[in-house]
Amino acid sequence: MSEQQEEKIILANWKANFSPSRAAQWCEEFSAAYQPVAGMEVVIAVPFLCMQEVGRRLNELEGVSLAAQTVSPYPQGSYSGSTPAAWLRGLAKYALLGHRERRDYFHETAQDVAKQVYESLAEELVPIVCVDQDNINAQTAIFDTEDLLKIRWAYTPKDAEQLERAHGNQSIETAVSSISKKVGHQPVLYGGGVNNSNGAQILELPGVQGIMLGRGCLDASNFAKLIKSLES
C-alpha cells in the first residue's frame, strides 16, 4: 500500500449550501482556527463557482486540498452546462463522484460515474467514488483490477446520508470490510452522519481510511475543532 493511501482523509462536502460570499466567510473562519495534523489530509469539496476563490484563500494552509463535487462525463466541447475535468486540472486534487444526491436527483448511472472517473484520471484528478451496498457490484463491475486501484472508494449508506445519522460502528466496520474486498482490499472512506461527536471514533475503525462530512462541516470553527481532536 502506498504512503498516500495510508494517509487519513477528512473530507468536507459543502454541497450547495454556500453562496460565494458565504464560502469566503467560511474560509476566513476556518483559516483562523485550523491547525494541521500529521498524517491527515483535509479535503474541501466545493462548487465549481467557488473553487478558484476558495483555492486562493486556502492555498497557504498545510495539508488542505480541494475536490470538485462532480465532473462532466464528457471532455471539452459542445456540452452546454457541463464542467469538464480538464478545467479543474491544477486547481482541484480530487473529484467526488457518484454521490447519492447525484445518483438520485440527477439520475447518474454507474456508467455515467465510470465516464467521470476516466475523465478525471485523464486530467490527473483522483476520483473518490461513493457507493453503498446496493450499487457497489454494478459500479465495480465496470472497472478492471488496475482501474479499481486508481480510485478512492467511499461507503455512503443511503439512509445514514439522508438522515445525517451515522450507522453503528459494527455496521460500518462490516460494510467497509465487504466493500474493501470488492475494490482490491483498499481502505475505504465513510460518509453519512459524521460529526464532531463520532468522527474520531469512526476514523479509528479497521479499514476506514477517512471520513466525509456534510452538515457536520458547515460550521468552519467546529470542523477545525474536529480536525484538531484527531491529533494523536
Side-chain angles (χ1 to χ4, degrees):
M1 186 182 300
S2 69
E3 181 179 339
Q4 185 184 29
Q5 282 281 46
E6 291 175 355
E7 191 172 50
K8 298 285 188 176
I9 291 175
I10 316 300
L11 188 147
N13 183 9
W14 287 0
K15 305 188 179 185
N17 285 292
F18 294 156
S19 66
S21 60
R22 180 65 185 89
Q25 182 184 354
W26 189 97
C27 290
E28 185 176 337
E29 294 170 357
F30 179 72
S31 297
Y34 170 69
Q35 297 180 46
V37 174
M40 301 281 176
E41 181 180 15
V42 177
V43 179
I44 315 296
V46 304
F48 298 128
L49 181 63
C50 302
M51 187 165 289
Q52 206 159 23
E53 178 65 13
V54 171
R56 184 185 68 79
R57 289 177 175 271
L58 300 183
N59 184 54
E60 299 302 320
L61 297 186
E62 180 184 347
V64 176
S65 305
L66 296 187
Q69 294 180 0
T70 186
V71 298
S72 173
Y74 304 106
Q76 300 181 79
S78 300
Y79 304 101
S80 297
S82 67
T83 301
W87 295 357
L88 303 173
R89 188 179 186 132
L91 181 58
K93 179 177 178 180
Y94 296 95
L96 183 63
L97 307 175
H99 192 280
R100 189 231 4 134
E101 292 154 0
R102 300 296 306 179
R103 296 181 191 265
D104 286 358
Y105 304 146
F106 297 90
H107 309 293
E108 290 184 354
T109 65
Q111 288 288 351
D112 293 328
V113 174
K115 291 178 182 178
Q116 294 169 355
V117 166
Y118 289 124
E119 288 297 316
S120 298
L121 291 172
E123 300 300 337
E124 299 185 350
L125 300 174
V126 180
I128 299 174
V129 175
C130 301
V131 291
D132 60 21
Q133 296 281 47
D134 293 332
N135 60 31
I136 178 65
N137 289 333
Q139 192 63 74
T140 55
I142 299 172
F143 303 107
D144 61 26
T145 302
E146 184 179 352
D147 289 334
L148 284 176
L149 297 176
K150 296 176 182 176
I151 300 167
R152 301 288 182 91
W153 296 89
Y155 170 51
T156 53
K158 187 171 184 177
D159 57 341
E161 203 279 328
Q162 282 179 311
L163 298 173
E164 283 285 346
R165 184 179 304 156
H167 282 191
N169 288 350
Q170 184 59 56
S171 175
I172 295 172
E173 186 175 340
T174 299
V176 162
S177 176
S178 173
I179 289 171
S180 177
K181 292 174 184 175
K182 297 175 182 180
V183 297
H185 296 278
Q186 298 184 77
V188 176
L189 282 71
Y190 172 81
V194 179
N195 53 46
N196 283 39
S197 64
N198 61 19
Q201 195 173 41
I202 293 172
L203 194 60
E204 291 177 356
L205 294 175
V208 174
Q209 185 198 356
I211 50 177
M212 298 168 51
L213 291 84
R215 189 182 305 167
C217 76
L218 298 182
D219 184 309
S221 297
N222 281 341
F223 180 58
K225 288 178 183 176
L226 169 62
I227 297 165
K228 177 62 176 174
S229 75
L230 300 175
E231 191 168 28
S232 56

